Amino acid sequence: VQLQASGGGLVQAGGSLKLSCKVSGVKDYDAISWFRQAPGKEREGVSAIDITIGGDPYYAESVKDRFTISRDSAKNVVYLQMNNLKPEDTAVYYCAAGDMPWNYGKLWGTYGVDYWGEGTQVTVSS
């Protein structure tokens, strides 16, 4: 089971980054998600895409209209395009496999994720 995140880096405020999550060996999941955790802060669910029935992706309010999640099913890769980045977006970003967040609320990261990948650092300078 492997969820390999990449694409993080250092960018100035207003800039863009595109994260990738390569999925392999993972079965029985409905969604690929992105979470992030900044130092001293709780983990936050950022975005998710349903890879079974489709439907609307999920975006946290803090990233709506700036981040876009997409998927290349042939390559088993999920992307997170992050535009107009802000210093408050600075965090370690993790991709995960599990469920969409609709039924979990704040417990999504605890009960709605079956597999976690290693994180990739995103740092946005002001």
Side-chain angles (χ1 to χ4, degrees), residues 62-96:
S62 57
V63 305
K64 276 183 178 179
D65 300 323
R66 299 189 298 123
F67 290 12
T68 302
I69 194 168
S70 61
R71 173 190 176 213
D72 184 331
S73 57
K75 296 181 179 179
N76 283 335
V77 178
V78 171
Y79 302 100
L80 186 69
Q81 177 67 48
M82 306 186 296
N83 297 329
N84 190 21
L85 283 161
K86 304 176 180 181
E88 51 263 42
D89 294 317
T90 295
V92 177
Y93 284 70
Y94 301 89
C95 61

Side-chain angles (χ1 to χ4, degrees), residues 13-93:
S16 299
L17 284 173
K18 188 174 185 177
L19 305 184
S20 300
C21 178
K22 174 67 175 175
V23 183
S24 60
V26 182
K27 298 180 179 179
D28 298 327
Y29 64 100
D30 293 335
I32 296 296
S33 310
W34 287 96
F35 288 77
R36 67 186 181 186
Q37 188 162 22
K41 295 188 177 181
E42 292 187 355
R43 182 177 57 201
E44 175 188 17
V46 174
S47 184
I49 187 167
D50 192 318
I51 58 92
T52 57
I53 63 172
D56 293 333
Y58 166 80
Y59 296 102
E61 284 295 326
S62 57
V63 305
K64 276 183 178 179
D65 300 323
R66 299 189 298 123
F67 290 12
T68 302
I69 194 168
S70 61
R71 173 190 176 213
D72 184 331
S73 57
K75 296 181 179 179
N76 283 335
V77 178
V78 171
Y79 302 100
L80 186 69
Q81 177 67 48
M82 306 186 296
N83 297 329
N84 190 21
L85 283 161
K86 304 176 180 181
E88 51 263 42
D89 294 317
T90 295
V92 177
Y93 284 70

